[in-house]
Amino acid sequence: MSHFTNMKTRFQNLFYLEKALNRLNITHNKQKKIQNNSNLIIPQANGHNIEFSWNGQEYELIVDMSYWLQDYPIETFLDKIAQQYAGEVIIGESKKLGFQPIKYQQNQDGSNTLVIERWNEKS
C-alpha cells in the first residue's frame, strides 16, 4: 500500500531547482503539465519516482517513503538541494545586478563559499 508524503519546500523557481539538481548530479526529467507548469521527476530504480510538483506557490516534494532509494535520508536530501538552490538563486539574481561569480567552492564541512564581484564603472 502506498503512502505518499508531500513535503513543502521553498523552491519557487524551476530554473534554479534544475540547476541545483544538476550541480548535485541528480538525474531528473521535466514533465510538462497542462497549465504551463512543469514538474521534475527523479527516477528511482524501483519505479517509485520522486517528484517535485508545482502546487501554485512552490515545488513540493512528493514521494512514497516506503520506496525511498536515495543514499541519505529525505531530510538530508532536501537540505543538500536547498543549499545548492540558494547558491544558484544568489548567482542568478546577482548576475542580473551586474555581479559576476568569481569562486564557488564546496568546503569539507559541507558549506559552500561563493564570491561575487562587480566593478564600479562610474569611477
Side-chain angles (χ1 to χ4, degrees), residues 91-101 116-121:
I91 290 171
E93 297 302 310
S94 63
K95 280 183 174 180
K96 293 176 185 177
L97 299 172
F99 289 88
Q100 291 298 316
I116 58 175
E117 74 177 7
R118 178 173 74 174
W119 293 96
N120 186 355
E121 297 177 6

Side-chain angles (χ1 to χ4, degrees), residues 2-46:
S2 293
H3 291 81
F4 284 99
T5 301
N6 292 25
M7 298 185 76
K8 295 225 179 254
T9 70
R10 299 278 186 206
F11 309 139
Q12 296 177 331
N13 186 300
L14 181 65
F15 176 74
Y16 295 136
L17 179 55
E18 282 189 286
K19 287 186 72 108
L21 294 174
N22 288 337
R23 190 175 287 275
L24 292 167
N25 295 316
I26 297 174
T27 303
H28 61 279
N29 306 306
K30 251 190 214 180
Q31 180 186 51
K32 191 75 172 164
K33 291 293 186 184
I34 297 171
Q35 303 163 336
N36 291 335
N37 293 321
S38 294
N39 292 345
L40 292 180
I41 307 297
I42 299 171
Q44 294 194 116
N46 61 9

Side-chain angles (χ1 to χ4, degrees), residues 14-118:
L14 181 65
F15 176 74
Y16 295 136
L17 179 55
E18 282 189 286
K19 287 186 72 108
L21 294 174
N22 288 337
R23 190 175 287 275
L24 292 167
N25 295 316
I26 297 174
T27 303
H28 61 279
N29 306 306
K30 251 190 214 180
Q31 180 186 51
K32 191 75 172 164
K33 291 293 186 184
I34 297 171
Q35 303 163 336
N36 291 335
N37 293 321
S38 294
N39 292 345
L40 292 180
I41 307 297
I42 299 171
Q44 294 194 116
N46 61 9
H48 296 274
N49 300 330
I50 300 167
E51 182 175 347
F52 282 100
S53 179
W54 182 251
N55 68 11
Q57 297 177 355
E58 63 195 6
Y59 285 91
E60 62 185 358
L61 182 70
I62 301 173
V63 63
D64 186 335
M65 294 303 296
S66 307
Y67 297 102
W68 184 258
L69 288 183
Q70 300 304 303
D71 294 336
Y72 24 82
I74 192 165
E75 295 81 8
T76 305
F77 179 80
L78 276 175
D79 286 346
K80 288 177 179 287
I81 294 171
Q83 183 180 30
Q84 296 302 322
Y85 179 86
E88 294 300 334
V89 170
I90 291 168
I91 290 171
E93 297 302 310
S94 63
K95 280 183 174 180
K96 293 176 185 177
L97 299 172
F99 289 88
Q100 291 298 316
I102 301 303
K103 176 181 169 185
Y104 192 97
Q105 169 186 315
Q106 185 156 2
N107 303 314
Q108 287 185 338
D109 66 358
S111 66
N112 290 331
T113 300
L114 173 61
V115 178
I116 58 175
E117 74 177 7
R118 178 173 74 174

